[in-house]
Amino acid sequence: MSESPHDGPASEAHAREEETLEQAGLSADELKARRKALAHVRQWGDPVLRSETRPVEIFDEELRAEATRMIELMDEALGIGLAAPQVGKSVSLLVYRVGDARPIVLANPEIEYSSDDAETAQEGCLSLANVQVDVDRPVHVRVVGKDVTGETIKIEASGLEARVIQHEMDHLDGVLIIDRASKDQRREALRALREAESRSGYAA
Ligand code: ZN
């Protein structure tokens, strides 16, 4: 999941998004690092984003290295969450970091409880360049899963943290924010995605 750098319509060009980030005080180096990181993030149209993931079964060095790489990519891309399918791995693994907190790695997450209390907020996604849509989600969730060592962890989250967890868990089921948007916003988002696709000439 990406933070909303602006409140503009979904059809804004990628360059425009960067302009906004520049105005927000990002250096040329940070923008360059972001572009480089995004090149490693699977984009809309890639079938891996639509596939169901399999659970993590082996908690070894390889998994820890993968999680570390995902955290680096997330940070460099200025995202606040990243799921394994976004880096081409069809496994149930996600990372996130909200604010200044330490990053969290979560494997095989399951929602144990979600509140009836829900809230609508704008979301972006590192796999859907230039798309911002309103998504309605429960405000509070309790999630159980495994940490990177295979230990069971339980997370109680509210607000933005609950939102990012649910966004990344959607990725593990092949669900994207456009699936949760209103009909009008989805139509607008798909138009922006197709425009970006035709400009680049392929579905990156
Ligand atoms: Zn996403």
Side-chain angles (χ1 to χ4, degrees), residues 111-119 137-143 155-163 165-166:
I111 300 263
E112 241 185 27
Y113 159 83
S114 58
S115 63
D116 292 335
D117 192 11
E119 196 168 70
R137 300 201 190 265
V139 178
H140 309 282
V141 291
R142 185 168 64 240
V143 179
I155 295 171
E156 302 253 6
S158 300
L160 182 60
E161 185 181 10
R163 180 169 293 278
I165 291 171
Q166 292 173 83

Side-chain angles (χ1 to χ4, degrees), residues 28-49:
D29 280 352
E30 283 169 321
L31 287 173
K32 200 174 145 198
R34 177 173 188 261
R35 260 199 306 272
K36 209 174 137 197
L38 280 173
H40 295 281
V41 176
R42 300 298 179 97
Q43 296 298 307
W44 183 76
D46 191 315
V48 74
L49 294 174

